[in-house]
Amino acid sequence: MQSPLIELKNLSYAYPRRGKVLDQANFRLQRGEKIALTGDNGAGKTTLFHLLTGLLKKQQGEVIAFGQCCEQESDFVPMRARIGLLFQDPDDQLFCPTVLEDVAFGPLNLGKSREQAMQIARDTLTRLGMSGFEERITHQLSGGEKRMVTLAAVLAMEPEVLLLDEPSNALDQKARQRLIDTLQTLPQAMIIISHEPDFLSQICNRHIRLEAGKLLEERSCENARPAVAAG
Ligand SMILES: Nc1ncnc2c1ncn2[C@@H]1O[C@H](COP(=O)(O)OP(=O)(O)OP(=O)(O)O)[C@@H](O)[C@H]1O
Ligand SMILES: [Mg+2]
């Protein structure tokens, strides 16, 4: 078997006054996997994404990305260029004045010319049904519009792995369907957090549940295939 894109070994994390959110959790993401990550409110799903990308500093265990053990910030910087994280709250993600600038920011940061970055941003917005929004002011957008713009910003970077924290939140039926169609056709491995089983089952081929600090294999995705053996 190919080496995993991301691997967690015995990852534990506790917040003050909350106690353990992750307790010796183990997990592997392989190429081609589209994983549904579920769990109760407050189970620690968002925390897991932030630990995986080094936004939170792990307390115990190992995070291995693309074969590299990530210990300190300097290890996480290059991996964050290869992993696209969609924040649960779009307001944590949007920071440029206009939509086009926000979506072009990632490609520019990855070394594309201004012209290339703008073209990628326009194309990505069109693909998500958001053409016409280029010059709109990001902080004036509606919740669903902000969600689609943040998705465009993540996809424009063409990351090798996508970590999507409740991507369908606030979307109307049309936007939700466009999102499903887009995620179905993307070749990248991804982990999607959502509380909508119907949304997840249309995209994912594996299901993991976070419960009492452990990551558990579930068999409830419609297209589910046998889970990749752990260990
Ligand atoms: N900075 C913090 N300090 C203390 N406790 C925190 C902090 N951030 C999160 N928590 C707590 O840690 C737990 C996990 O939070 P997290 O946001 O990861 O949950 P989640 O599974 O993403 O939930 P949801 O489905 O509601 O988004 C929650 O009980 C939360 O209250
Ligand atoms: Mg969350």
Side-chain angles (χ1 to χ4, degrees):
M1 186 185 289
Q2 282 181 322
S3 61
L5 294 166
I6 297 177
E7 184 167 13
L8 301 179
K9 286 190 187 168
N10 298 320
L11 192 71
S12 296
Y13 192 83
Y15 288 111
R17 289 187 294 278
R18 163 62 167 83
K20 264 195 182 159
V21 173
L22 290 161
D23 184 11
Q24 305 244 329
N26 290 291
F27 168 75
R28 285 174 175 184
L29 174 70
Q30 302 284 359
R31 240 162 263 278
E33 285 188 321
K34 294 184 176 179
I35 297 183
L37 176 60
T38 62
D40 294 343
N41 288 135
K45 305 176 297 298
T46 297
T47 302
L48 178 71
F49 274 8
H50 291 183
L51 287 167
L52 264 175
T53 47
L55 301 180
L56 275 177
K57 199 167 159 34
K58 70 184 170 64
Q59 294 161 342
Q60 259 179 28
E62 290 177 48
V63 175
I64 303 159
F66 310 109
Q68 272 305 112
C69 198
C70 298
E71 285 297 328
Q72 43 200 340
E73 175 60 12
S74 58
D75 302 323
F76 282 103
V77 172
M79 80 95 108
R80 282 201 289 264
R82 301 171 72 180
I83 296 184
L85 170 64
L86 182 85
F87 284 76
Q88 182 165 357
D89 182 350
D91 286 326
D92 290 340
Q93 196 137 10
L94 296 167
F95 57 94
C96 292
T98 70
V99 166
L100 190 64
E101 284 171 284
D102 231 312
V103 181
F105 181 86
L108 266 177
N109 215 25
L110 292 174
K112 304 281 186 202
S113 71
R114 193 161 171 79
E115 203 175 310
Q116 283 172 325
M118 292 298 166
Q119 195 53 50
I120 292 169
R122 280 198 190 88
D123 291 347
T124 312
L125 285 165
T126 302
R127 181 173 173 198
L128 290 172
M130 296 294 287
S131 67
F133 279 76
E134 290 82 356
E135 301 310 323
R136 296 278 295 274
I137 309 297
T138 47
H139 77 262
Q140 293 173 347
L141 298 176
S142 76
E145 290 168 345
K146 280 183 184 170
R147 191 27 121 199
M148 289 309 267
V149 171
T150 52
L151 267 162
V154 170
L155 296 183
M157 294 173 70
E158 297 188 327
E160 291 164 60
V161 170
L162 292 164
L163 302 179
L164 308 177
D165 199 343
E166 305 202 21
S168 59
N169 273 6
L171 298 186
D172 64 30
Q173 275 306 321
K174 254 194 320 198
R176 186 176 183 272
Q177 191 55 51
R178 249 187 336 258
L179 174 62
I180 292 170
D181 296 343
T182 306
L183 296 180
Q184 278 175 341
T185 50
L186 287 176
Q188 286 103 322
M190 59 186 77
I191 307 175
I192 307 177
I193 296 173
S194 171
H195 295 288
E196 293 181 59
D198 166 61
F199 172 76
L200 290 170
S201 69
Q202 293 186 63
I203 302 162
C204 298
N205 51 24
R206 186 178 165 201
H207 181 185
I208 303 274
R209 184 168 171 81
L210 176 52
E211 197 175 305
K214 305 280 190 202
L215 291 164
L216 311 169
E217 292 283 347
E218 299 267 303
R219 297 294 303 270
S220 60
C221 272
E222 251 170 39
N223 325 326
R225 52 190 167 71
V228 175

CSV table of all heavy atoms in Angstrom, one decimal, residues 15-16 18 21 39-47 88 166 195, ligand 1:
chain,number,residue,atom,x,y,z
A,15,TYR,N,-8.2,20.7,26.4
A,15,TYR,CA,-8.3,22.1,26.7
A,15,TYR,C,-8.4,22.3,28.2
A,15,TYR,O,-9.1,21.5,28.9
A,15,TYR,CB,-9.6,22.7,26.1
A,15,TYR,CG,-9.6,22.8,24.6
A,15,TYR,CD1,-10.4,22.0,23.8
A,15,TYR,CD2,-8.8,23.8,23.9
A,15,TYR,CE1,-10.4,22.2,22.4
A,15,TYR,CE2,-8.8,23.9,22.5
A,15,TYR,CZ,-9.7,23.1,21.8
A,15,TYR,OH,-9.7,23.2,20.4
A,16,PRO,N,-7.9,23.5,28.7
A,16,PRO,CA,-8.2,23.8,30.1
A,16,PRO,C,-9.7,23.8,30.4
A,16,PRO,O,-10.4,24.3,29.5
A,16,PRO,CB,-7.6,25.1,30.3
A,16,PRO,CG,-6.8,25.4,29.1
A,16,PRO,CD,-7.2,24.5,28.0
A,18,ARG,N,-12.0,21.9,29.9
A,18,ARG,CA,-12.8,21.0,29.1
A,18,ARG,C,-12.3,19.6,29.2
A,18,ARG,O,-13.1,18.6,29.2
A,18,ARG,CB,-12.7,21.4,27.6
A,18,ARG,CG,-13.2,20.4,26.5
A,18,ARG,CD,-14.6,20.0,26.7
A,18,ARG,NE,-15.1,19.3,25.5
A,18,ARG,CZ,-14.9,18.0,25.3
A,18,ARG,NH1,-14.2,17.3,26.2
A,18,ARG,NH2,-15.4,17.4,24.2
A,21,VAL,N,-10.1,16.1,24.6
A,21,VAL,CA,-10.9,16.1,23.4
A,21,VAL,C,-10.5,15.0,22.5
A,21,VAL,O,-11.3,14.3,21.9
A,21,VAL,CB,-10.9,17.5,22.7
A,21,VAL,CG1,-11.6,17.5,21.4
A,21,VAL,CG2,-11.4,18.6,23.6
A,39,GLY,N,-19.6,13.4,14.4
A,39,GLY,CA,-19.4,13.4,15.8
A,39,GLY,C,-20.3,14.5,16.4
A,39,GLY,O,-20.7,15.4,15.7
A,40,ASP,N,-20.7,14.3,17.7
A,40,ASP,CA,-21.6,15.3,18.3
A,40,ASP,C,-21.0,16.7,18.3
A,40,ASP,O,-19.8,16.8,18.2
A,40,ASP,CB,-21.8,14.8,19.8
A,40,ASP,CG,-22.6,13.5,19.9
A,40,ASP,OD1,-23.2,13.1,18.8
A,40,ASP,OD2,-22.6,12.9,20.9
A,41,ASN,N,-21.8,17.7,18.5
A,41,ASN,CA,-21.3,19.0,18.8
A,41,ASN,C,-20.4,18.9,20.0
A,41,ASN,O,-20.6,18.3,21.0
A,41,ASN,CB,-22.5,20.0,19.2
A,41,ASN,CG,-23.4,20.3,18.0
A,41,ASN,OD1,-24.6,20.3,18.2
A,41,ASN,ND2,-22.8,20.6,16.9
A,42,GLY,N,-19.2,19.6,19.8
A,42,GLY,CA,-18.2,19.6,20.9
A,42,GLY,C,-17.4,18.4,21.0
A,42,GLY,O,-16.6,18.2,21.9
A,43,ALA,N,-17.5,17.4,20.1
A,43,ALA,CA,-16.8,16.2,20.1
A,43,ALA,C,-15.3,16.4,19.9
A,43,ALA,O,-14.4,15.7,20.4
A,43,ALA,CB,-17.3,15.2,19.1
A,44,GLY,N,-15.0,17.5,19.1
A,44,GLY,CA,-13.5,17.8,18.8
A,44,GLY,C,-13.2,17.7,17.4
A,44,GLY,O,-12.0,17.7,17.0
A,45,LYS,N,-14.1,17.7,16.5
A,45,LYS,CA,-13.8,17.6,15.0
A,45,LYS,C,-13.0,18.8,14.5
A,45,LYS,O,-12.0,18.6,13.8
A,45,LYS,CB,-15.1,17.5,14.2
A,45,LYS,CG,-16.0,16.4,14.7
A,45,LYS,CD,-17.4,16.3,14.0
A,45,LYS,CE,-18.2,17.5,14.2
A,45,LYS,NZ,-18.6,17.7,15.6
A,46,THR,N,-13.5,20.0,14.9
A,46,THR,CA,-12.7,21.2,14.4
A,46,THR,C,-11.4,21.2,15.1
A,46,THR,O,-10.4,21.6,14.4
A,46,THR,CB,-13.6,22.5,14.8
A,46,THR,OG1,-14.8,22.4,14.1
A,46,THR,CG2,-12.8,23.8,14.5
A,47,THR,N,-11.3,20.9,16.3
A,47,THR,CA,-10.0,20.8,17.0
A,47,THR,C,-9.0,19.9,16.3
A,47,THR,O,-7.9,20.2,16.1
A,47,THR,CB,-10.2,20.3,18.5
A,47,THR,OG1,-11.1,21.1,19.1
A,47,THR,CG2,-8.9,20.2,19.2
A,88,GLN,N,-14.6,26.4,9.7
A,88,GLN,CA,-16.1,26.2,10.0
A,88,GLN,C,-16.8,27.6,9.9
A,88,GLN,O,-17.9,27.6,9.4
A,88,GLN,CB,-16.2,25.7,11.5
A,88,GLN,CG,-17.7,25.5,11.9
A,88,GLN,CD,-17.8,24.6,13.1
A,88,GLN,OE1,-16.9,24.1,13.7
A,88,GLN,NE2,-19.1,24.4,13.5
A,166,GLU,N,-17.7,21.6,7.8
A,166,GLU,CA,-19.1,21.9,7.5
A,166,GLU,C,-19.3,22.8,6.3
A,166,GLU,O,-19.8,23.9,6.4
A,166,GLU,CB,-19.7,22.6,8.8
A,166,GLU,CG,-19.5,21.7,10.0
A,166,GLU,CD,-20.5,21.9,11.2
A,166,GLU,OE1,-21.5,22.5,10.9
A,166,GLU,OE2,-20.1,21.5,12.3
A,195,HIS,N,-22.9,17.6,9.7
A,195,HIS,CA,-23.9,17.0,10.4
A,195,HIS,C,-25.1,16.5,9.5
A,195,HIS,O,-26.1,16.2,10.0
A,195,HIS,CB,-24.5,17.9,11.5
A,195,HIS,CG,-23.4,18.3,12.5
A,195,HIS,ND1,-23.0,17.4,13.5
A,195,HIS,CD2,-22.7,19.4,12.7
A,195,HIS,CE1,-22.1,18.0,14.3
A,195,HIS,NE2,-21.9,19.2,13.8
B,1,LIG,N1,-10.1,27.4,23.2
B,1,LIG,C1,-10.8,26.6,23.9
B,1,LIG,N2,-10.8,26.5,25.2
B,1,LIG,C2,-11.5,25.6,25.9
B,1,LIG,N3,-12.3,24.7,25.4
B,1,LIG,C3,-12.4,24.8,24.0
B,1,LIG,C4,-11.7,25.7,23.2
B,1,LIG,N4,-12.0,25.5,21.9
B,1,LIG,C5,-12.9,24.4,21.9
B,1,LIG,N5,-13.2,24.0,23.2
B,1,LIG,C6,-14.1,22.9,23.6
B,1,LIG,O1,-13.5,21.7,23.0
B,1,LIG,C7,-14.6,20.9,22.6
B,1,LIG,C8,-14.4,20.5,21.1
B,1,LIG,O2,-14.6,21.7,20.3
B,1,LIG,P1,-14.7,21.6,18.7
B,1,LIG,O3,-14.9,23.0,18.2
B,1,LIG,O4,-13.5,20.9,18.2
B,1,LIG,O5,-16.0,20.7,18.5
B,1,LIG,P2,-16.7,20.2,17.2
B,1,LIG,O6,-16.7,18.7,17.2
B,1,LIG,O7,-16.1,20.9,16.0
B,1,LIG,O8,-18.2,20.7,17.4
B,1,LIG,P3,-19.3,21.3,16.4
B,1,LIG,O9,-19.9,20.1,15.7
B,1,LIG,O10,-20.2,22.0,17.3
B,1,LIG,O11,-18.6,22.2,15.5
B,1,LIG,C9,-15.9,21.6,22.9
B,1,LIG,O12,-16.4,21.1,24.1
B,1,LIG,C10,-15.5,23.1,23.0
B,1,LIG,O13,-16.3,23.7,23.9
